[in-house]
Amino acid sequence: MGRYALDMEKYADLARTASAEGCVLLKNDNSTLPLKKGDKVAVFGRMAFHYYKSGLGSGGLVNTRYVVGILDALRACKDIALDEELIGIYEKWIKDHPYDEGEGWGLVPWSQEEMPVTEEMLQTASGDDVALVILGRTAGEDQDNTDKPGSYKLTRTEEDLIRKVSSQFSRTAVILNVGNIIDMKWVREFDPAAVLYAWQGGQEGGNGVCDVLTGRVNPCGKLTDTIAEDISDYPSTSNFGDLQKNYYKEDIYVGYRYFETFAKDKVLYPFGFGLSYTSFSVQASAEEKDEHTVCVKATVKNTGTKPGKEVLEVYAKAPQGVLDTPVRVLCGFAKTKELAAGEEEHITLEIPKNTFASYDDSGVTGHRDCFVLLEGTYTIYVGTDVRTAQKAGSYPQTFTVLEQLEEVCAPQKPFARMTRKPGDVIGYSDTPERIYGPYDRVEKPAEISQTGDKGYRLEDVYDKKISMETFVAQLSDEDLIMLFRGEGMCSPKVTPGTAAAFAGLTSSLRKFRIPAECASDGPSGIRMDCGTKAFSLPNGTLLGCTFNCELVRQLYEMTGLELRLNRVDTLLGPGLNIHRNPLNGRNFEYISEDPFLTGKMGAAQLQGLNIAGSTGTIKHFAANNQETKRHEADSIISVRALREIYLKGFEIAVKEGPARSVMTTYGPVNGVWTAGSYDLNTIVLRKDWGFSGIVMTDWWAKANHEGQPSDPRIHAVMAAAQNDVYMVTADAQDMQQDDMLEEFQKGNLTRGQLQRNAINILQFVLKSPAMLYEMDRISPEELKDRKNAAKDDPDVSKMMKFVTDEQGNIRISGGGWDTHQGKEILADLDMKAGSYELQMKVKSNLDDLAQLPVTVYLDNIIKGTLSFRGSKGQWVTQQIRFDTFEGHHYMKLYFGATGLTVDHIAFQLSGGADKEQ
Ligand code: BGC
């Protein structure tokens, strides 16, 4: 095996460990868990029979070779016995109540109908030792959760199930296979003995959960969010979901920063909380090491009887002065090794003070737009959750400016934001008047004089024969504009079924030997809509709950190898948006309500990915915190909340990953669509953080000119802002599709700006595996490893047979085809030689953001992917062309997403009937 070979067993082991370490045990009365040897286990809940490996949408469409659900894993466990009779009752019911997968994106149910628990079922299970109740929720793009039964809340039937089972079994454990926290009031009401958040663990998820249930792994996951009593307790709830303007009025008081400061009594489970089957003690001291650093020394001891790991969490409390601050800010954490009973570990953490600095966006300290340390006492708390962490030390601080920055993305008009008043009372005060408009500081870099083609190729820059500037000088204005345009979905220029190609896409750019780069979703594994199999990873929240950066780094090292094996240059993830509100539909992809943890986990993923040469694209930059009207709703946020909360995680990942690629959002922040925001894409990313990679838009994103509505044709402002790549167009060469050429000719977009962006893109290309392929510098071992990687053949036994008519044409009716996601239509075709056009006529009731790809294979070779989008009930036709030779061929159509009705497909021969290949 070569250096880049992928060890699938190691990959699965790491994913399984992560799934187990991410499980968070909230309650465990009567030592209900772990299951004991010989226990007879009654499994309740239909979701036991359909494990949610991830959420939905782009972050969940991984075609896996297998998925181990919780029940599968329990079945394989020899030490316990399952109540098969009860399982039989469920299986029978599920036959009449099949899993409802909904359609496409946006119309997928977030939960499934639960089987009402009957007396017969309870009677059947009455002699069993322990009951597991497995409940599930999914979520995804375009649709948020709702504070309703079946989404954030349990349904009546689910409540009834927990109530009845809990009253019958003193050992009842409720297992939540969910992407995101849900309402937890029912725990108090029905009092099940144990509650475990198992999240969505990817293809190895069931194994990980089973390891925790059986005690093979001692639970050691911690909540990355505060679970409050009611959704209305989260201060963001009153504005969340607004269709036009979403005021972030809670400002920096997000998650535990709010609850610990103002509303401790509303918390059911605090941030950072999670139980173990053993117990730990923590002794800690903290002191100021020097003017930049605080040093925490702690001893964590396993005081119980079972081996286990514990998480050490460090929080800072800043003095309350002219600038108000929350009473706790996470500034460090570490996970112990597995400690045997009685064993202890000494941990030393050196914490840079800037991890808990405050941002003054108003100048109240006399230093506007600075990260500062305030005058007064800083106290450090150490423990195993935010609520119980104990004071470990304090030190006096003099007022210090740590970093002078600039105002960015300021609200157009002041709005009232939350502040902490003396006595920890909530107050409101207006955000400052903004100083800069979005275009005040846009730089127009000097242009490089164009030379035309001097015969230099990108390889010459790679080999340091010429400078990047000399290379870029050769590119024409058209080339520069075309470099801006990515192509997708499923571009035939890169790995089949992936989200996009970018860089060397046109014949003119290819002449300079610029390769086509490949980007694929992300983040929960590699999404290849043509059906190619990939590894499905645990979701972002679960990974966060491990609090184990090293484990996450190792896992993503495997994903990095898998990317390289599949010739994907960047994975579209990790997702680093903040869990501002539990109802956000994409929280499952993101990590936490806390930016420090988010940033550290994001950096760990990137560090792993980067090892094999591919990378990740951190997204969505920034403040993509609701799915409802995600293209339009304006996030109105103070500069302080941006700097301390919504940008912070990205900052850590950019600096510590490091990140080489960033994706902007669909929507606006303070009136400016992010793809066209110079402040975000140039000032924050590049000037403040030193980022030197590429920025791409989200798919088919829009932009605007401040004060005006957004428009899909407005692209020039993106390029001017240094959002380097537009995702995605059907054809990079088409100059009519947007305002690029027009604005360039008017001088609103300059050659210097385009050349600057071209350099960003080409620097990215130089570091990518695609460049090595382009230069033919991939080692023979690596090529061999790629060849040996498993290939999945279509099921030939299911084929229909068709023969051409006299003209060489074939028409196949699509009536009755099962076009659900992952389904295949196979056909055996007798064709003539020549050039064929395949036409496919379909309709879908979804709207045009739904991605409904169909990949066409001929003789197991991909001929292309028809990238259908939702057509709102209208029939639409798409074509692809290919040449073939006379004789027998087989065709496979692979449906990448549910939601299409097919009228027919037709193969039409055009000329060259005598052509032989
Ligand atoms: C999502 C992105 C994703 C892209 C490509 C968009 O709908 O917001 O996160 O990477 O599609 O599939």
Side-chain angles (χ1 to χ4, degrees):
M1 288 212 300
R3 180 171 157 210
Y4 296 107
L6 182 57
D7 177 346
M8 290 311 283
E9 265 178 47
K10 186 171 169 200
Y11 203 172
D13 272 358
L14 284 163
R16 177 177 183 156
T17 307
S19 309
E21 287 207 16
C23 285
V24 181
L25 184 65
L26 292 187
K27 187 170 190 255
N28 194 24
D29 297 347
N30 317 322
S31 295
T32 292
L33 295 175
L35 301 174
K36 297 177 185 52
K37 208 171 175 169
D39 267 347
K40 182 152 183 213
V41 183
V43 180
F44 291 91
R46 74 148 320 142
M47 290 315 293
F49 301 81
H50 186 96
Y51 177 67
Y52 284 132
K53 72 175 175 19
S54 69
L56 303 168
S58 61
L61 292 172
V62 180
N63 300 303
T64 53
R65 288 207 165 72
Y66 67 88
V67 177
V68 181
I70 302 172
L71 189 61
D72 305 320
L74 287 168
R75 273 198 165 122
C77 177
K78 300 274 176 297
D79 290 345
I80 53 164
L82 297 182
D83 185 332
E84 291 294 343
E85 208 180 326
L86 182 61
I87 287 176
I89 296 176
Y90 269 106
E91 282 173 343
K92 197 158 158 246
W93 182 84
I94 287 170
K95 270 201 188 119
D96 299 330
H97 300 81
Y99 180 81
D100 172 11
E101 59 181 42
E103 276 194 2
W105 295 15
L107 292 178
V108 179
W110 281 178
S111 64
Q112 298 288 316
E113 181 191 356
E114 184 53 87
M115 178 180 184
V117 66
T118 60
E119 274 315 309
E120 181 210 351
M121 289 157 80
L122 293 170
Q123 192 55 41
T124 304
S126 59
D128 298 346
D129 301 299
V130 55
L132 302 180
V133 178
I134 302 179
L135 303 179
R137 288 288 182 277
T138 190
E141 291 188 40
D142 275 341
Q143 195 190 162
D144 284 310
N145 302 311
T146 55
D147 180 30
K148 296 214 174 91
S151 185
Y152 190 61
K153 289 205 168 102
L154 297 190
T155 61
R156 279 261 164 91
T157 321
E158 289 169 331
E159 287 185 347
D160 198 46
L161 174 64
I162 299 177
R163 185 168 54 81
K164 287 188 173 144
V165 174
S166 302
S167 57
Q168 174 161 321
F169 290 87
S170 62
R171 289 175 68 204
T172 296
V174 180
I175 297 154
L176 299 170
N177 171 206
V178 295
N180 177 47
I181 58 168
I182 58 168
D183 179 272
M184 296 297 283
K185 285 194 274 290
W186 50 269
V187 178
R188 214 167 34 206
E189 209 172 328
F190 309 124
D191 201 25
V195 178
L196 182 79
Y197 265 94
W199 313 114
Q200 295 159 342
Q203 69 184 62
E204 280 289 331
N207 280 331
V209 179
C210 186
D211 288 343
V212 168
L213 294 176
T214 56
R216 184 175 167 265
V217 173
N218 197 337
C220 51
K222 304 285 174 175
L223 285 178
T224 61
D225 295 313
T226 309
I227 301 184
E229 175 118 12
D230 192 80
I231 192 68
S232 60
D233 296 329
Y234 293 87
S236 51
T237 299
S238 49
N239 289 299
F240 178 83
D242 193 287
L243 303 183
Q244 277 145 18
K245 288 183 193 294
N246 189 347
Y247 282 94
Y248 287 44
K249 67 156 205 279
E250 71 284 0
D251 210 50
I252 55 165
Y253 296 99
V254 178
Y256 68 84
R257 284 167 166 78
Y258 169 81
F259 288 106
E260 296 306 305
T261 309
F262 300 120
K264 278 184 158 178
D265 58 331
K266 300 285 189 203
V267 176
L268 293 180
Y269 303 98
F271 176 88
F273 175 78
L275 298 171
S276 165
Y277 299 147
T278 186
S279 53
F280 295 93
S281 68
V282 175
Q283 300 289 333
S285 64
E287 56 182 25
E288 185 186 27
K289 187 180 168 220
D290 55 43
E291 57 178 319
H292 304 294
T293 327
V294 167
C295 182
V296 172
K297 290 196 168 129
T299 301
V300 181
K301 183 170 181 181
N302 183 344
T303 52
T305 54
K306 295 196 166 94
K309 296 183 180 181
E310 180 56 298
V311 176
L312 187 78
E313 302 167 29
V314 183
Y315 298 89
K317 180 186 180 193
Q320 174 80 338
V322 280
L323 201 57
D324 59 315
T325 53
V327 298
R328 296 286 183 280
V329 168
L330 181 75
C331 58
F333 61 89
K335 196 160 202 173
T336 66
K337 62 175 184 169
E338 183 168 274
L339 297 173
E343 194 185 358
E344 56 185 36
E345 183 173 333
H346 304 290
I347 295 173
T348 302
L349 291 177
E350 302 224 325
I351 297 173
K353 289 184 182 175
N354 66 11
T355 52
F356 48 80
S358 309
Y359 192 81
D360 179 5
D361 64 1
S362 68
V364 69
T365 65
H367 297 271
R368 187 169 172 156
D369 288 302
C370 291
F371 269 111
V372 298
L373 295 169
L374 299 162
E375 169 99 38
T377 303
Y378 276 78
T379 310
I380 304 297
Y381 295 83
V382 180
T384 57
D385 67 68
V386 70
R387 181 63 58 84
T388 62
Q390 297 293 309
K391 179 172 168 183
S394 60
Y395 67 92
Q397 176 69 53
T398 50
F399 179 81
T400 309
V401 173
L402 287 181
E403 202 180 2
Q404 170 74 62
L405 295 163
E406 294 175 58
E407 177 197 279
V408 283
C409 308
Q412 291 166 305
K413 283 193 233 125
F415 70 96
R417 55 144 160 216
M418 189 177 285
T419 56
R420 176 180 164 211
K421 296 262 179 254
D424 296 343
V425 173
I426 296 176
Y428 285 92
S429 68
D430 273 359
T431 57
E433 292 280 350
R434 89 174 182 191
I435 304 172
Y436 297 108
Y439 313 111
D440 294 349
R441 290 166 288 178
V442 175
E443 277 173 12
K444 295 189 170 164
E447 70 178 62
I448 303 168
S449 315
Q450 286 174 319
T451 57
D453 186 355
K454 291 281 196 193
Y456 298 126
R457 300 297 170 251
L458 193 56
E459 188 167 357
D460 299 324
V461 185
Y462 186 93
D463 289 333
K464 302 198 168 38
K465 291 188 185 149
I466 55 159
S467 71
M468 180 61 95
E469 284 67 25
T470 306
F471 178 79
V472 166
Q474 303 177 103
L475 303 180
S476 68
D477 296 338
E478 280 77 15
D479 287 337
L480 293 169
I481 290 176
M482 288 186 284
L483 255 186
F484 167 76
R485 298 187 179 130
E487 280 179 8
M489 309 277 300
C490 302
S491 165
K493 294 173 185 163
V494 289
T495 301
T498 52
F502 63 99
L505 303 183
T506 63
S507 51
S508 153
L509 291 167
R510 293 289 301 126
K511 200 178 65 188
F512 294 104
R513 301 293 304 272
I514 301 171
E517 296 283 309
C518 176
S520 100
D521 279 311
S524 73
I526 307 176
R527 168 186 173 192
M528 289 173 281
D529 281 342
C530 55
T532 310
K533 302 285 189 280
F535 197 92
S536 150
L537 293 156
N539 74 11
T541 304
L542 184 153
L543 294 172
C545 290
T546 67
F547 276 71
N548 190 340
C549 290
E550 179 49 25
L551 174 64
V552 170
R553 192 197 61 72
Q554 286 178 23
L555 177 63
Y556 273 77
E557 192 175 333
M558 298 290 113
T559 311
L561 291 169
E562 196 186 7
L563 288 170
R564 185 158 177 138
L565 188 69
N566 284 286
R567 295 189 61 171
V568 176
D569 300 290
T570 182
L571 183 77
L572 301 174
L576 298 184
N577 295 107
I578 293 295
H579 291 175
R580 175 180 175 236
N581 190 278
L583 298 185
N584 180 15
R586 287 183 90 174
N587 276 346
F588 73 95
E589 293 184 54
Y590 310 141
I591 291 157
S592 171
E593 67 186 19
D594 179 77
F596 179 73
L597 178 62
T598 297
K600 290 286 178 187
M601 282 291 158
Q605 292 185 36
L606 290 174
Q607 285 157 11
L609 292 175
N610 288 348
I611 290 173
S614 298
T615 190
T617 296
I618 55 175
K619 67 188 188 184
H620 307 84
F621 190 62
N624 194 61
N625 299 305
Q626 83 176 42
E627 286 301 294
T628 308
K629 283 275 174 199
R630 62 178 170 158
H631 288 261
E632 306 298 340
D634 194 5
S635 294
I636 301 179
I637 318 178
S638 78
V639 179
R640 180 176 186 191
L642 276 170
R643 291 284 195 185
E644 281 189 36
I645 309 285
Y646 298 100
L647 297 177
K648 199 72 193 174
F650 287 96
E651 177 180 357
I652 296 169
V654 162
K655 292 179 176 169
E656 296 179 20
R660 286 167 44 210
S661 176
V662 172
M663 185 193 295
T664 44
T665 72
Y666 279 132
V669 169
N670 293 325
V672 179
W673 268 252
T674 58
S677 167
Y678 184 85
D679 284 14
L680 275 179
N681 299 313
T682 298
I683 300 181
V684 172
L685 260 182
R686 306 182 195 258
K687 212 168 150 214
D688 296 346
W689 301 346
F691 175 75
S692 60
I694 50 165
V695 180
M696 62 180 73
T697 66
D698 201 338
W699 269 229
W700 308 288
K702 299 190 280 187
N704 74 328
H705 298 284
E706 198 193 27
Q708 289 165 34
S710 63
D711 189 297
R713 278 197 88 245
I714 297 181
H715 290 175
V717 73
M718 298 176 180
Q722 222 170 158
N723 185 122
D724 311 290
V725 180
Y726 175 77
M727 295 295 197
V728 282
T729 64
D731 177 5
Q733 219 136 246
D734 171 11
M735 282 292 163
Q736 301 309 310
Q737 63 186 294
D738 58 22
D739 66 348
M740 289 288 283
L741 191 58
E742 217 172 294
E743 295 292 320
F744 179 74
Q745 283 161 349
K746 283 195 214 151
N748 295 333
L749 176 65
T750 67
R751 185 172 296 133
Q753 287 171 321
L754 287 172
Q755 288 170 327
R756 171 200 62 189
N757 297 3
I759 291 174
N760 293 338
I761 297 167
L762 295 172
Q763 293 291 10
F764 179 93
V765 171
L766 286 180
K767 293 192 188 116
S768 69
M771 187 66 199
L772 297 176
Y773 275 98
E774 183 68 33
M775 300 183 299
D776 208 4
R777 297 193 197 179
I778 293 282
S779 73
E781 294 88 57
E782 188 177 346
L783 291 173
K784 208 158 130 213
D785 286 338
R786 286 205 64 218
K787 225 168 150 192
N788 291 341
K791 290 268 173 286
D792 299 287
D793 293 319
D795 185 351
V796 183
S797 64
K798 288 189 193 145
M799 280 191 195
M800 306 173 279
K801 291 204 185 304
F802 297 92
V803 182
T804 57
D805 63 17
E806 298 256 293
Q807 285 74 43
N809 301 332
I810 301 177
R811 187 185 163 97
I812 306 174
S813 162
W817 282 1
D818 183 354
T819 61
H820 284 80
Q821 186 202 334
K823 291 290 175 196
E824 297 172 353
I825 297 292
L826 297 156
D828 187 336
L829 310 175
D830 239 352
M831 302 175 88
K832 300 213 184 307
S835 179
Y836 272 92
E837 181 175 82
L838 167 63
Q839 297 168 350
M840 185 164 183
K841 185 172 171 191
V842 302
K843 71 174 177 183
S844 148
N845 292 330
L846 301 170
D847 74 19
D848 61 1
L849 275 184
Q851 302 171 13
L852 303 162
V854 181
T855 302
V856 182
Y857 294 74
L858 208 68
D859 302 330
N860 213 18
I861 294 168
I862 295 179
K863 293 297 172 190
T865 298
L866 298 163
S867 282
F868 290 109
R869 317 243 309 253
S871 65
K872 296 185 185 148
Q874 298 300 308
W875 288 106
V876 290
T877 303
Q878 282 193 28
Q879 311 68 23
I880 46 169
R881 301 190 76 89
F882 55 86
D883 291 339
T884 193
F885 53 88
E886 186 151 23
H888 165 92
H889 299 273
Y890 68 81
M891 173 208 71
K892 178 173 90 175
L893 299 179
Y894 175 86
F895 292 87
T898 304
L900 286 179
T901 304
V902 183
D903 182 75
H904 70 271
I905 59 168
F907 293 86
Q908 273 181 3
L909 183 64
S910 58
D914 52 356
K915 187 171 156 194
E916 292 287 338
Q917 284 188 351

